[in-house]
Amino acid sequence: MKFSFKNDYSEGCHPNILQALVQHNLDQQAGYGEDQYSLSAKTLIKEKINNPNSEVFLVSGGTQANLIVISAMLKPYQCAISASSGHILNNETGAIEATGHKILSIETADGKLSPSDITPILDGHRNIPHQVMPKLVYISNSTELGTIYQAKELEELSAFCKKNNLYLFMDGARLGHGLTAEISDLSLEKVAALTDVFYLGGTKNGALIGEAIVINNPAIQEDFAFNIKQKGALLAKGRLLGIQFLELMKDNLYFDLARHANQQAMKIKNALQKKGAAFLSDTYTNQIFPILNNDLIEILSENFEFYVWKKIDEESSAIRLITSWSTGDDAVDRFIEIIEQN
């Protein structure tokens, strides 16, 4: 059986979560997220971001979170701004556009956005009221290319958004991996202080399903629950999400799992660098994009599953490798062994 480096969720969930779900299975609780586990998880998240005034909403997945947040924040004539590699542009089947909101795309080499990237978009949309109004900046941490925002970058972007009356929304499907990268100087508390909305991704980091949307801007909090219900995202058995996030957030399990995934990826990255491999982007998270010759890619594919991400030339391609919270040393060591032998 091949080991999968295709994504962060080839496995089920962390054993602590499964055990907790079984342990509390027969407990009778209120529905629709009013159970004691969901309420405790939300309180714990607020404590960790040091903002008791933020509001937390639990939903099942990342696309669902992006769709609900963006459609709730924008008026019909407003639009979002995203890097061209952004998940909402490439991997959500036009979910945002289907709600009636255009996405303005910016080409970036590293998947990140900066004030200098966004300024031309704003300058190009001054023909009021004949053009859509840019209102929301969508970013991911870590990005689709595995890169991360440092504190100074996020501070500058946040200040720019405030100055230009733009919302800043961080897709946190891989936020644990972004914050625990060895070069990261960002904290969860700082992310909360600098964004209007972000979310903590559980699906890619040890949960069965689940994302925790954190709304820091009071203006966006009002009536947000109606959007959750209208989009079909209010689970009747909300305990399923609450129990999982309670387990993930207590004792910092969420960050321990993400850190492990990053460390496993860095073992592979270091081995590839020693063999002289180049990379599409310099990443320190659980996503790496090595450029390898096609013969080696074929050999590796006999033992592992991964995506061939981009053709470089006739002889080589870039592949994407993603390690997860459960990636063991055996799989990593075997991958490295094949690399060293070829």
Side-chain angles (χ1 to χ4, degrees):
M1 182 176 177
K2 294 183 180 180
F3 183 85
S4 177
F5 284 115
K6 275 192 168 184
N7 51 49
D8 320 63
Y9 33 77
S10 295
E11 302 83 12
C13 64
H14 190 273
N16 286 13
I17 290 176
L18 203 58
Q19 181 179 351
L21 288 169
V22 172
Q23 179 183 347
H24 301 297
N25 186 51
L26 296 180
D27 295 349
Q28 287 199 320
Q29 290 285 320
Y32 301 109
E34 294 300 320
D35 58 280
Q36 69 179 62
Y37 315 112
S38 295
L39 297 177
S40 296
K42 292 176 181 182
T43 298
L44 189 52
I45 290 172
K46 292 179 186 181
E47 290 175 359
K48 288 186 178 296
I49 66 173
N50 193 27
N51 188 349
N53 296 318
S54 292
E55 291 293 339
V56 181
F57 300 86
L58 305 180
V59 298
S60 66
T63 296
Q64 189 181 66
N66 288 335
L67 183 152
I68 293 168
V69 168
I70 294 176
S71 63
M73 292 170 74
L74 298 184
K75 295 178 180 179
Y77 51 84
Q78 295 174 333
C79 66
I81 298 170
S82 170
S84 59
S85 57
H87 203 271
I88 59 173
L89 270 168
N90 298 301
N91 293 283
E92 296 186 353
T93 325
I96 306 305
E97 290 92 338
T99 67
H101 299 290
K102 187 173 183 177
I103 304 173
L104 302 177
S105 173
I106 299 175
E107 289 288 337
T108 66
D110 58 5
K112 297 191 289 184
L113 291 180
S114 67
S116 61
D117 295 320
I118 301 169
T119 297
I121 292 282
L122 302 184
D123 291 342
H125 286 77
R126 304 291 188 193
N127 190 15
I128 301 170
H130 304 287
Q131 294 174 289
V132 290
M133 177 193 292
K135 183 62 178 178
L136 181 147
V137 174
Y138 166 91
I139 60 174
S140 302
N141 194 46
S142 60
T143 70
E144 295 300 302
L145 301 180
T147 53
I148 64 170
Y149 285 87
Q150 297 287 17
K152 183 179 179 182
E153 293 174 312
L154 192 61
E155 287 166 358
E156 292 175 349
L157 189 56
S158 178
F160 176 86
C161 288
K162 286 181 172 63
K163 180 180 178 180
N164 289 279
N165 197 28
L166 300 169
Y167 294 131
L168 182 57
F169 169 40
M170 178 182 285
D171 178 328
R174 293 190 174 97
L175 185 56
H177 307 99
L179 295 180
T180 57
E182 60 185 67
I183 65 167
S184 174
D185 63 353
L186 258 181
S187 65
L188 186 61
E189 184 175 340
K190 179 152 284 190
V191 167
L194 295 174
T195 61
D196 292 288
V197 183
F198 74 95
Y199 65 89
L200 287 155
T203 308
K204 296 182 185 297
N205 195 33
L208 280 173
I209 59 171
E211 321 292 302
I213 300 171
V214 183
I215 303 181
N216 308 302
N217 185 332
I220 303 169
Q221 294 172 0
E222 186 177 359
D223 296 336
F224 189 83
F226 287 92
N227 293 282
I228 297 276
K229 178 65 176 182
Q230 190 179 68
K231 295 297 190 295
L234 185 60
L235 286 186
K237 294 185 179 181
R239 61 198 284 160
L240 173 62
L241 300 173
I243 289 171
Q244 292 185 89
F245 271 98
L246 189 56
E247 288 299 316
L248 285 172
M249 300 312 295
K250 72 181 186 182
D251 301 324
N252 286 322
L253 177 63
Y254 183 80
F255 298 103
D256 290 342
L257 297 181
R259 187 176 294 107
H260 170 79
N262 290 345
Q263 290 170 346
Q264 296 298 75
M266 291 304 98
K267 290 178 185 178
I268 296 175
K269 176 185 176 182
N270 293 336
L272 288 165
Q273 285 179 326
K274 289 179 181 178
K275 294 289 288 187
F279 294 79
L280 276 184
S281 55
D282 188 22
T283 70
Y284 292 84
T285 61
N286 68 323
Q287 292 188 91
I288 58 175
F289 298 82
I291 299 171
L292 306 175
N293 69 67
N294 294 330
D295 290 339
L296 178 54
I297 292 174
E298 186 174 347
I299 292 171
L300 288 167
S301 66
E302 294 174 3
N303 292 274
F304 302 96
E305 292 182 344
F306 47 80
Y307 286 110
V308 177
W309 200 249
K310 182 180 181 181
K311 181 179 179 180
I312 303 301
D313 52 42
E314 292 300 321
E315 297 182 351
S316 62
S317 303
I319 64 173
R320 184 183 74 167
L321 302 172
I322 297 183
T323 49
S324 77
W325 61 271
S326 63
T327 301
D329 289 335
D330 289 349
V332 172
D333 291 345
R334 177 57 180 154
F335 192 94
I336 293 173
E337 180 183 357
I338 295 174
I339 289 292
E340 292 175 343
Q341 291 174 349
N342 291 276

